[in-house]
Amino acid sequence: MNLMQVEEVERLPRTGLESIQLRRLQRLVARVYDRVRPYREKMDQAGVKPDDIQSLGDLSKLPFTTKDDLRDNYPFGLFTVPMEDVVRVHASSGTTGKPTVVGYTAADISTWADVMARCLAMGGVSEGDMVHNAYGYGLFTGGLGAHYGAERLGATVIPVSGGNTKRQITIMRDFGSSVLLSTPSYALNLAEAMIDAGVTPDQLKLRVGIHGAEPWSRNMRDEVEKKLGIRALDIYGLSEVIGPGVAMQCPESEHGMHILEDHFFPEIVDPDTFEPLPPGQPGELVFTTLTKEAFPIIRYRTKDISTLYTEQCACGRTLVRMEKVTGRTDDMLIIRGVNVFPSQVEHVLMGIEGVEPHYQIEVNREGSLDTMSVLVEVSDNVFHDEVKVLEGLTRTIQAEIKDLLGVTCSVKLVEPRTIQRSEGKAQRVIDNRKM
Ligand code: DLL
């Protein structure tokens, strides 16, 4: 990967970038129309032909693609190349229904390595680094996606994957891991295992953590930074678009992640009307891949909620930034008419002294009423303090949740290590109403 060229692409004047995007978009639309029946049918229904795409604004004439389209064409129906040209597939498990299957040509794998390497470079990772890759290897895109990116950059990769947490600490210490790639919840799991092993951050060379694949609040980030003694940066991606490597937070940006717009074209739409929204307004993120071969996707509704910022970043990159993803439209819990995102509960919890960054939300239906209870770990000292103190803390949490989210919930404080630790994406919500 030529870092000078990357530097140039990421700092192009907007008009230059936009002309690259338009050229790529036109090629993509012609290609899917030609080769993929479901896309052609949807475009015909909408009365739009590839030649109608004369500007980037014309993208909004094209129909959206949703998870249902992927399910309807399960497993390979939206691929644009013959299977002989597909060198790899991944799948996301999905909590309901069939998994989502995605495919890559050799060129796609190379594009993916490039974008992922650019993200790592944006986070300050370089050739000299020892990259501890604790994203899960397998059908999940995290492990292999990050792996190829780190190799493309020329760093040394430790393909440790998720799990076997105790051994990971030994490896980190003995191999001198300087970069940690993991979900934020697994980073905290590792921090705990470090304490158990009697290893302190200053015995490690860890400098930076690049965390994503699940929502995490700023307070959670502070916890990760404090407990591991690192700078923790956010990385975003999804299998349908490519995997990790779609957007990355640079160290100078407090507000969100730079989208690698020369490959992934973002839009924000109103989650109810699906009308495009201007920068600065929150809504559902929609992506169009501009360069993928085997499984390109047009206007994919991610269900992730974010905001786009066009103001230039202090780092000098001209790439648009997307705000930290606070949740998904389908994560939203409706508790007696009030909309609640698990990340909002996390934000409240992590701001309260004595509360540990491990929690779970349980939703039940009692008669016709929904009830929400929050199970949260407290520090050892607090747990063994007087009942009065625990009751006070319970009331504080309830009051703050009520204040911020407008919902009354029950709170149960539990001993450290009661809540199951994650090795990948944490399960924050148990919704018994769906059982
Ligand atoms: O999670 C890809 C990935 C791997 C991203 C490693 C970053 C690091 P999926 O399994 O398809 O792919 O899940 C994608 O995870 O739509 C979001 O809801 C969520 N997500 C991913 N990154 C973030 C993030 C990978 N930084 C889904 N913040 C996405 C919040 C995230 N949510």
Side-chain angles (χ1 to χ4, degrees):
M1 196 182 59
N2 183 331
L3 284 172
M4 294 281 281
Q5 271 171 8
V6 167
E7 178 111 336
E8 202 181 314
V9 162
E10 295 184 352
R11 287 167 176 75
L12 277 177
R14 293 297 302 179
T15 47
L17 176 64
E18 285 163 11
S19 73
I20 296 177
Q21 289 177 316
L22 179 61
R23 207 170 355 114
R24 292 181 170 176
L25 177 67
Q26 287 170 324
R27 207 162 45 203
L28 162 83
V29 176
R31 201 173 125 89
V32 297
Y33 187 82
D34 218 31
R35 298 190 184 193
V36 190
R37 195 173 40 88
Y39 272 115
R40 187 165 53 245
E41 283 172 358
K42 280 178 80 170
M43 280 173 63
D44 285 344
Q45 265 169 25
V48 40
K49 293 270 178 281
D51 282 347
D52 295 332
I53 308 300
Q54 293 302 325
S55 71
L56 290 172
D58 289 336
L59 179 63
S60 63
K61 295 178 179 163
L62 295 170
F64 292 106
T65 307
T66 64
K67 195 122 187 157
D68 283 340
D69 293 309
L70 270 62
R71 292 212 176 104
D72 292 346
N73 295 288
Y74 173 86
F76 308 135
L78 293 180
F79 289 10
T80 64
V81 298
M83 280 316 273
E84 300 89 270
D85 294 341
V86 173
V87 300
R88 176 146 18 120
V89 292
H90 279 281
S92 71
S93 55
T95 38
T96 49
K98 291 175 189 154
T100 304
V101 184
V102 297
Y104 305 78
T105 62
D108 290 333
I109 295 287
S110 179
T111 305
W112 190 10
D114 271 342
V115 289
M116 188 61 216
R118 280 168 61 181
C119 288
L120 294 173
M122 211 185 277
V125 182
S126 67
E127 272 175 11
D129 274 305
M130 187 64 89
V131 176
H132 190 96
N133 185 15
Y135 284 118
Y137 283 65
L139 284 177
F140 172 54
T141 51
L144 283 165
H147 181 108
Y148 275 57
E151 278 189 359
R152 175 64 52 93
L153 195 62
T156 310
V157 193
I158 311 172
V160 62
S161 194
N164 223 330
T165 307
K166 198 169 153 195
R167 192 179 60 156
Q168 299 222 8
I169 305 302
T170 314
I171 290 176
M172 264 191 212
R173 189 191 51 204
D174 296 353
F175 295 11
S177 308
S178 54
V179 177
L180 171 63
L181 308 183
S182 74
T183 59
S185 56
Y186 193 57
L188 286 175
N189 192 344
L190 285 166
E192 220 165 49
M194 258 169 70
I195 297 174
D196 291 348
V199 174
T200 52
D202 56 299
Q203 289 173 276
L204 301 182
K205 294 214 175 92
L206 271 192
R207 187 182 83 243
V208 61
I210 296 182
H211 308 294
E214 61 184 1
W216 53 315
S217 59
R218 291 197 162 76
N219 289 339
M220 178 73 88
R221 175 199 61 196
D222 295 345
E223 287 284 331
V224 172
E225 294 195 331
K226 189 173 76 193
K227 294 202 152 110
L228 287 169
I230 57 174
R231 178 78 202 268
L233 299 171
D234 202 355
I235 183 165
Y236 172 85
L238 63 166
S239 349
E240 296 89 326
V241 171
I242 203 158
V246 175
M248 170 77 199
Q249 181 192 359
C250 73
E252 270 125 309
S253 168
E254 262 301 299
H255 275 285
M257 302 166 264
H258 291 284
I259 297 173
L260 272 62
E261 284 179 282
D262 44 328
H263 293 279
F264 314 110
F265 189 92
E267 296 172 87
I268 293 279
V269 299
D270 183 306
D272 299 317
T273 64
F274 310 125
E275 283 303 314
L277 293 174
Q281 283 197 30
E284 181 177 345
L285 248 183
V286 169
F287 275 108
T288 299
T289 61
L290 298 174
T291 49
K292 268 172 68 196
E293 289 184 349
F295 183 77
I297 203 156
I298 292 184
R299 303 196 84 200
Y300 182 63
R301 281 189 35 215
T302 63
K303 300 204 169 167
D304 289 325
I305 297 162
S306 183
T307 308
L308 296 180
Y309 296 109
T310 48
E311 294 80 19
Q312 200 174 321
C313 179
C315 72
R317 289 183 182 84
T318 50
L319 300 172
V320 150
R321 278 175 290 167
M322 58 178 268
E323 184 54 278
K324 211 171 189 20
V325 171
T326 46
R328 300 171 50 79
T329 52
D330 51 3
D331 269 357
M332 190 177 75
L333 301 165
I334 305 180
I335 311 290
R336 273 169 274 152
V338 183
N339 299 347
V340 177
F341 284 102
S343 58
Q344 293 175 305
V345 175
E346 176 178 307
H347 180 78
V348 171
L349 293 176
M350 298 301 101
I352 298 174
E353 188 84 27
V355 169
E356 292 292 302
H358 303 284
Y359 68 95
Q360 215 157 39
I361 301 166
E362 199 178 288
V363 186
N364 287 297
R365 178 158 291 152
E366 288 166 19
S368 58
L369 271 192
D370 294 334
T371 59
M372 177 170 110
S373 38
V374 176
L375 200 70
V376 60
E377 289 183 13
V378 287
S379 61
D380 233 347
N381 298 347
V382 172
F383 193 78
H384 292 106
D385 212 328
E386 291 173 40
V387 176
K388 227 172 41 207
V389 175
L390 287 173
E391 283 173 354
L393 186 56
T394 306
R395 275 196 302 274
T396 306
I397 298 174
Q398 275 172 327
E400 293 209 11
I401 291 181
K402 174 84 188 160
D403 239 28
L404 201 86
L405 311 180
V407 66
T408 310
C409 66
S410 64
V411 170
K412 186 164 182 223
L413 305 180
V414 295
E415 248 180 303
R417 320 264 173 132
T418 313
I419 294 169
Q420 199 188 356
R421 299 296 184 252
S422 93
E423 292 185 348
K425 301 189 191 225
Q427 193 191 359
R428 302 290 191 198
V429 178
I430 301 172
D431 194 341
N432 295 320
R433 295 174 303 182
K434 290 180 183 156
M435 302 277 174

